[in-house]
């Protein structure tokens, strides 16, 4: 393994750890945000189509954030494993 590959793996491992902490910290926030949107959609009969669309977009953004965090966590764990297998 070259030094550059090692540095890249260390960077991925570190980024994965940060993503894991962020996801743990923001997990409740994401859950509450989704619940608030769903509750608002269920109870409010006067929402315009634009408001419904905005809520949908916000839910998509929350999901994209969550999926990216999970991807970085997975990549970090793979990098940590590879570093450990190579004695780093």
């Amino acid at each position: 393994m070259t030094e550059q590959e090692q540095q890249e793996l260390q960077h991925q491992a570190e980024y994965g750890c940060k993503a894991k902490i962020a996801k743990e910290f923001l997990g409740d926030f994401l859950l509450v945000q989704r619940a608030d949107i769903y509750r608002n959609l269920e109870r409010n009969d006067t929402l315009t189509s634009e408001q419904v669309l905005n809520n949908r977009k916000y839910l998509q953004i929350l999901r994209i954030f969550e999926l990216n965090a999970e991807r970085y966590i997975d990549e970090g764990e793979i990098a940590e494993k590879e570093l450990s297998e190579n004695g780093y």
Side-chain angles (χ1 to χ4, degrees):
M1 173 183 309
T2 68
E3 185 176 325
Q4 184 177 357
E5 290 171 330
Q6 177 191 353
Q7 288 176 347
E8 179 61 31
L9 288 173
Q10 288 173 332
H11 174 73
Q12 286 178 337
E14 182 180 318
Y15 208 74
C17 287
K18 289 179 181 180
K20 189 173 186 177
I21 291 167
K23 188 169 183 252
E24 288 174 10
F25 178 76
L26 293 173
D28 290 338
F29 171 79
L30 296 172
L31 186 63
V32 168
Q33 289 297 300
R34 286 184 176 113
D36 286 346
I37 289 172
Y38 292 134
R39 190 173 20 261
N40 187 32
L41 290 170
E42 289 175 345
R43 294 181 181 172
N44 194 338
D45 293 333
T46 61
L47 291 174
T48 66
S49 59
E50 184 178 350
Q51 290 171 316
V52 172
L53 183 60
N54 286 338
N55 283 320
R56 181 176 181 262
K57 287 179 183 178
Y58 186 57
L59 287 170
Q60 288 173 325
I61 290 168
L62 294 177
R63 183 67 181 144
I64 289 168
F65 170 81
E66 192 170 43
L67 289 173
N68 281 327
E70 289 171 8
R71 188 186 86 212
Y72 292 132
I73 291 167
D74 291 343
E75 289 174 357
E77 289 173 353
I78 291 168
E80 285 177 7
K81 183 178 178 183
E82 192 169 332
L83 284 168
S84 125
E85 288 173 354
N86 288 299
Y88 294 102

